[in-house]
Amino acid sequence: MWYAVLSDVHGNLEALETVVRDMSRHHIARAICLGDMVGYYANPNECLDLIRAWPWLCIKGNHDRAVLGHLDMADFNTVAREALEWTGGILRPDHRQWLATLPDELEIAPCFVGVHGAPGDPDAYVFTPAEAEQAMVVFRQQYPQRAVCFYGHTHQRAVWAWPPVPEPEAAEIHLAPTGRYLINPGSVGQSRDGVPGASYLWLDADTWTIVYRRVPYDYVVTQEKVLAAGLPAFLAERLAMGI
């Protein structure tokens, strides 16, 4: 069974629609969404309309929790806080209620787990080998029968594997049921790995295969919406640079 695994849409409708079209062309309807569906960009309601229309498994991210009042917006940087305050002002009540029902972590199929930041800490970042080692310790403690943890939050593709596997730009990565993995699909709405476009991956839960996807979209439209909404200009500028 094939799933899409995606994260950090952040209200970027043009990126999300492009990913959904890519999924549809390859007959993938199921998805695992690792949170941060809102924040930063100008179409949070439209993105949630689209996400909720599909049979997707979703969890909350830190931006989702902040717009619900579950995190203090003062803990965010100025750009993120300004975007969150704007998002909170336009988010529809039905979407707010739906976000509140979502868990912080999710067990998927027999062997997979989805989190936003890291196992046991939705706000933690996993950038470095030391951070990955600590996250794996917690993952093994909390989910001793699970082999793969998908996470988001960093907006950067990553595969931390014991034993090692190819780099995440490889066309296909075959996982071993005896291995242990922390896997980040990158960000749909705001790539930060130096390459513009929407990043996500496919998971074949039967053969334990992942396939990374990067799909270009018309980010100029997204940039125009940012400026028209009065959101911070840096949010528009960074889309062209993938940072």
Side-chain angles (χ1 to χ4, degrees), residues 25-68:
R25 279 195 298 269
H26 295 88
H27 311 291
I28 298 174
R30 295 175 177 83
I32 301 157
C33 184
L34 302 174
D36 275 6
M37 291 161 276
V38 304
Y40 290 141
Y41 294 104
N43 292 113
N45 289 312
E46 294 84 353
C47 285
L48 290 175
D49 283 336
L50 185 51
I51 289 168
R52 294 176 64 185
W54 289 85
W56 291 7
L57 303 171
C58 301
I59 61 175
K60 293 191 294 286
N62 58 310
H63 285 249
D64 307 319
R65 291 160 55 225
V67 83
L68 292 171

Side-chain angles (χ1 to χ4, degrees), residues 94-147:
D94 63 308
H95 289 327
R96 192 180 295 273
Q97 292 165 6
W98 180 77
L99 286 173
T101 68
L102 299 180
D104 293 330
E105 299 189 359
L106 187 66
E107 297 183 53
I108 309 126
C111 300
F112 308 104
V113 171
V115 304
H116 182 66
D121 187 349
D123 301 323
Y125 286 95
V126 178
F127 280 116
T128 68
E131 290 165 345
E133 289 277 2
Q134 177 57 34
M136 180 53 67
V137 168
V138 177
F139 178 51
R140 284 174 162 163
Q141 290 172 345
Q142 293 190 348
Y143 300 100
Q145 303 305 316
R146 305 274 166 160

Side-chain angles (χ1 to χ4, degrees), residues 1-7 16 19-34 50-58 106 108-110 112 150 185 188 200-206 209 211 213:
M1 180 180 294
W2 284 93
Y3 293 87
V5 182
L6 55 99
S7 190
L16 179 61
V19 164
V20 170
R21 285 195 295 269
D22 189 56
M23 291 169 54
S24 297
R25 279 195 298 269
H26 295 88
H27 311 291
I28 298 174
R30 295 175 177 83
I32 301 157
C33 184
L34 302 174
L50 185 51
I51 289 168
R52 294 176 64 185
W54 289 85
W56 291 7
L57 303 171
C58 301
L106 187 66
I108 309 126
F112 308 104
F150 294 104
V188 170
Y200 78 113
L201 63 80
W202 299 338
L203 164 70
D204 185 340
D206 297 322
T209 301
V211 180
R213 302 287 292 173

Side-chain angles (χ1 to χ4, degrees), residues 38 44 67-68 73 82-92 96:
V38 304
V67 83
L68 292 171
M73 291 188 190
E82 189 173 333
L84 281 168
E85 290 169 350
W86 181 90
T87 299
I90 69 163
L91 192 65
R92 293 199 325 246
R96 192 180 295 273

